[in-house]
């Protein structure tokens, strides 16, 4: 499971660096309550769900950076669309790195507002970007109670060196 | 030569990113059409000539693979080069896309340069904006 979570972290870092131009840092769970939740499920050789909980400020910054627009131009649809695309890329990239030969079907990602703290479910990763209001939590829940994937490891040359 | 480009993705943000990369890639873009799934893409191509299709796979109503299959059945549409830009990176999915006629495959997340490289390859443009065929001609003149 530890190896799987490291691969998931690599996927998260690559997606945020390449598509959102944001460099995440691993943090302790933040007090900031998330405002958006984006989710995607996968099924195939295994099955599970990836949930992304985003603070208001981070969701806005993601849309701003991806679309090259100013913060006051970002609307709710754009924030939700960028969050959906983020969880889609994180999950797809994670599965390709974890189990290159496995064939998984991904659901259409969904996103909406969320209230209250992040629930205690699945394996959890927390990230921030400098300011404590820019926080994000990623939950991985396997339908088997584990990670939900076969851990055959990344293909040669893929993934970050630990 | 300028191209009519069709970008097919259910994410309007991703369509905007790809559109930006395409217009900065040395392509002379005449018209850039957008569609949010395969059905919408077929509808666009029924009314407009398109020189290049860039499509996602995982979309509601009609996926990118289904779109490729429909295009392959059509004598005119099968000639249009298609690049698949998708999060789905496993080998079986890539093989499937190529077997249905895709000419290029780019996995998300991607850097703008990676996107440009794939698109230039499938339409025969060199990355400095020149045409591959032009350079070959120039080479012949050197003899």
């Amino acid at each position: 499971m530890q190896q799987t979570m490291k691969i998931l972290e690599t996927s998260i870092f690559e997606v945020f660096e390449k598509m959102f131009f944001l460099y995440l840092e691993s943090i302790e769970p933040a007090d900031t309550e998330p405002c958006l939740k984006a989710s995607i499920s996968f099924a195939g050789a295994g099955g599970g769900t990836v949930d992304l909980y985003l603070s208001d400020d981070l969701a806005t910054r993601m849309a701003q950076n991806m679309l090259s627009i100013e913060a006051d131009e970002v609307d709710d649809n754009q924030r939700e669309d960028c969050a959906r695309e983020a969880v889609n890329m994180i999950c797809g990239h994670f599965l390709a790195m974890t189990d290159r030969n496995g064939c998984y079907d991904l659901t259409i990602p969904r996103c909406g507002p969320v209230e209250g703290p992040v629930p205690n479910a699945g394996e959890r990763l927390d990230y921030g970007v400098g300011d404590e209001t820019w926080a994000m939590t990623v939950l991985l829940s396997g339908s088997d109670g584990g990670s939900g994937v076969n851990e055959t490891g990344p293909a040669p040359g893929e993934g970050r060196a630990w | 030569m300028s191209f009519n480009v069709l970008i097919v993705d259910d994410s309007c943000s991703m369509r905007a990113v790809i559109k930006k990369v395409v217009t900065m890639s040395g392509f002379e873009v005449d018209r850039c059409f957008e569609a949010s799934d395969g059905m919408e893409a077929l509808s666009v191509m029924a009314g407009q000539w398109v020189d290049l299709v860039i499509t996602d796979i995982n979309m509601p109503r009609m996926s990118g693979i289904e779109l490729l299959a429909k295009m392959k059945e059509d004598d005119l549409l099968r000639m249009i080069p298609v690049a698949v830009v998708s999060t789905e990176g496993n080998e079986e999915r890539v093989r499937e896309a190529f077997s249905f006629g895709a000419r290029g495959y780019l996995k998300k997340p991607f850097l703008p340069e990676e996107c440009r490289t794939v698109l230039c390859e499938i339409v025969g443009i060199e990355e400095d904006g020149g045409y591959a065929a032009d350079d070959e001609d120039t080479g012949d003149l050197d003899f």
Side-chain angles (χ1 to χ4, degrees), chain B residues 1 6 13-14 17 25 29-30 39-40 48 52 59 66 72 74-76 78 85 96 102 118 127 129-130 135 138-139:
Chain B
M1 180 184 176
L6 171 59
S13 305
M14 188 52 69
V17 168
S25 293
V29 177
D30 186 8
M39 285 180 79
E40 230 180 275
Q48 307 287 343
L52 170 65
M59 295 180 289
E66 291 168 315
K72 198 177 178 182
D74 186 290
D75 286 342
L76 206 55
R78 69 193 304 172
V85 181
E96 190 180 19
V118 169
E127 289 193 57
D135 284 357
T138 307

Side-chain angles (χ1 to χ4, degrees), chain B residues 25-61:
Chain B
S25 293
F27 285 75
E28 286 179 45
V29 177
D30 186 8
R31 300 182 70 183
C32 190
F33 303 103
E34 295 185 26
S36 61
D37 58 47
M39 285 180 79
E40 230 180 275
L42 289 173
S43 163
V44 170
M45 287 187 284
Q48 307 287 343
W49 178 250
V50 169
D51 300 295
L52 170 65
V53 175
I54 302 165
T55 184
D56 188 14
I57 289 182
N58 189 22
M59 295 180 289
R61 296 207 304 166

Side-chain angles (χ1 to χ4, degrees), chain B residues 63-78:
Chain B
S63 73
I65 297 293
E66 291 168 315
L67 170 63
L68 280 162
K70 288 279 182 194
M71 290 177 69
K72 198 177 178 182
E73 289 170 3
D74 186 290
D75 286 342
L76 206 55
L77 299 184
R78 69 193 304 172

Side-chain angles (χ1 to χ4, degrees), chain A residues 20 35-40 52 54-56 58-64 66-67 69 73-89 108-114, chain B residues 10-14:
Chain A
F20 302 105
C35 77
L36 275 185
K37 176 187 174 187
S39 302
I40 191 166
L52 190 64
L54 296 163
S55 72
D56 190 40
L58 183 56
T60 300
R61 188 57 183 231
M62 286 165 63
Q64 201 184 329
M66 187 174 187
L67 300 170
I69 57 178
E73 296 176 276
V74 175
D75 63 33
D76 287 346
N77 286 338
Q78 290 166 325
R79 294 192 323 156
E80 291 186 13
D81 189 51
C82 287
R84 268 193 299 270
E85 199 53 29
V87 80
N88 185 31
M89 286 187 281
I108 302 296
R110 55 206 179 275
C111 181
V114 65
Chain B
D10 55 331
S11 162
C12 58
S13 305
M14 188 52 69

Side-chain angles (χ1 to χ4, degrees), chain A residues 9-135:
Chain A
E9 181 167 81
T10 299
S11 173
I12 293 164
F13 284 158
E14 286 193 19
V15 167
F16 273 75
E17 288 173 17
K18 287 184 174 179
M19 303 308 297
F20 302 105
F21 314 109
L22 289 168
Y23 295 86
L24 301 172
E25 297 163 5
S26 188
I27 59 168
E28 292 297 314
D31 291 334
T32 312
E33 285 198 353
C35 77
L36 275 185
K37 176 187 174 187
S39 302
I40 191 166
S41 297
F42 57 93
T49 301
V50 178
D51 296 315
L52 190 64
Y53 291 83
L54 296 163
S55 72
D56 190 40
D57 287 353
L58 183 56
T60 300
R61 188 57 183 231
M62 286 165 63
Q64 201 184 329
N65 285 7
M66 187 174 187
L67 300 170
S68 306
I69 57 178
E70 297 299 325
D72 58 7
E73 296 176 276
V74 175
D75 63 33
D76 287 346
N77 286 338
Q78 290 166 325
R79 294 192 323 156
E80 291 186 13
D81 189 51
C82 287
R84 268 193 299 270
E85 199 53 29
V87 80
N88 185 31
M89 286 187 281
I90 288 169
C91 185
H93 196 35
F94 161 67
L95 292 172
M97 284 196 292
T98 308
D99 185 5
R100 190 172 177 83
N101 298 319
C103 195
Y104 291 90
D105 289 318
L106 304 182
T107 60
I108 302 296
R110 55 206 179 275
C111 181
V114 65
E115 288 180 6
V118 177
N120 287 320
E123 294 294 318
R124 174 175 180 149
L125 296 169
D126 287 273
Y127 301 98
V129 188
D131 192 305
E132 65 179 17
T133 64
W134 293 25

Side-chain angles (χ1 to χ4, degrees), chain B residues 3 27 43 45 77 80 82 85 97 104 110 117 121-122 126 140:
Chain B
F3 295 93
F27 285 75
S43 163
M45 287 187 284
L77 299 184
I80 302 172
V82 180
V85 181
F110 55 81
T117 299
E121 274 174 9
I122 69 170
E126 296 216 327
D140 289 340

Side-chain angles (χ1 to χ4, degrees), chain B residues 2 9-10 13 24 28 37 41 47 49 53 62-63 69 76 91 93 101 108 112-113 115 119 121 123 129-130 136 140:
Chain B
S2 55
D9 198 307
D10 55 331
S13 305
M24 293 170 68
E28 286 179 45
D37 58 47
W49 178 250
V53 175
M62 184 187 282
S63 73
L76 206 55
E91 287 172 5
R93 200 69 87 206
K108 300 177 193 172
E113 307 86 74
C115 185
L119 299 184
E121 274 174 9
V123 295
E136 284 169 16
D140 289 340

